[in-house]
């Protein structure tokens, strides 16, 4: 088991009139090349939040994640590692502002 940090670069955009509606878009990604390990990740998130009551909000969104990392060695005794993961999912949140 090894912890591997990977910095991300991305952009986020928030648009709306915060008292009533908020639309968000986030795009981020990274590329790493450490010793015998390299790969990349991408993340896209989008959501819409509506506030029917000033302190209660309902958020509907979607998220896409992709991770593709691999070691450059095929020797399993020396820690060979490959990961190729894609995730696409929706989310629903209740927001309470204090």
């Amino acid at each position: 088991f090894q912890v591997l940090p990977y910095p991300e670069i991305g952009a986020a955009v928030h648009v709306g009139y915060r008292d009533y509606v908020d639309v968000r878009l986030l795009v981020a990604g990274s590329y790493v090349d450490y010793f015998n390990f390299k790969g990349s990740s991408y993340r896209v998130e989008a959501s819409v939040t509506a506030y029917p009551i000033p302190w209660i909000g309902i958020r509907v969104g979607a998220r896409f994640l992709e991770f593709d990392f691999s070691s450059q060695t095929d020797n399993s005794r020396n820690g060979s590692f490959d990961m190729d993961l894609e995730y696409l999912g929706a989310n629903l949140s209740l927001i309470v502002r204090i």
Side-chain angles (χ1 to χ4, degrees):
F1 181 78
Q2 184 176 3
V3 175
L4 180 68
Y6 65 96
E8 283 188 327
I9 291 182
V13 177
H14 299 252
V15 179
Y17 186 61
R18 187 157 165 80
D19 288 343
Y20 301 106
V21 67
D22 183 17
V23 178
R24 300 173 183 221
L25 175 65
L26 169 74
V27 177
S30 69
Y31 178 79
V32 295
D33 189 353
Y34 295 131
F35 303 103
N36 287 326
F37 182 82
K38 62 171 62 172
S40 59
S41 71
Y42 303 99
R43 179 169 50 130
V44 178
E45 298 179 15
S47 66
V48 176
T49 306
Y51 295 95
I53 301 173
W55 48 277
I56 299 285
I58 299 170
R59 178 176 293 160
V60 176
R63 178 177 297 144
F64 173 75
L65 301 170
E66 180 181 342
F67 294 95
D68 186 12
F69 295 100
S70 63
S71 61
Q72 301 304 303
T73 179
D74 290 332
N75 187 346
S76 61
R77 288 182 283 154
N78 290 337
S80 177
F81 176 81
D82 293 324
M83 180 176 76
D84 187 9
L85 170 73
E86 288 185 7
Y87 170 81
L88 175 63
N91 55 54
L92 177 65
S93 305
L94 179 66
I95 310 296
V96 178
R97 295 194 281 189
I98 298 176

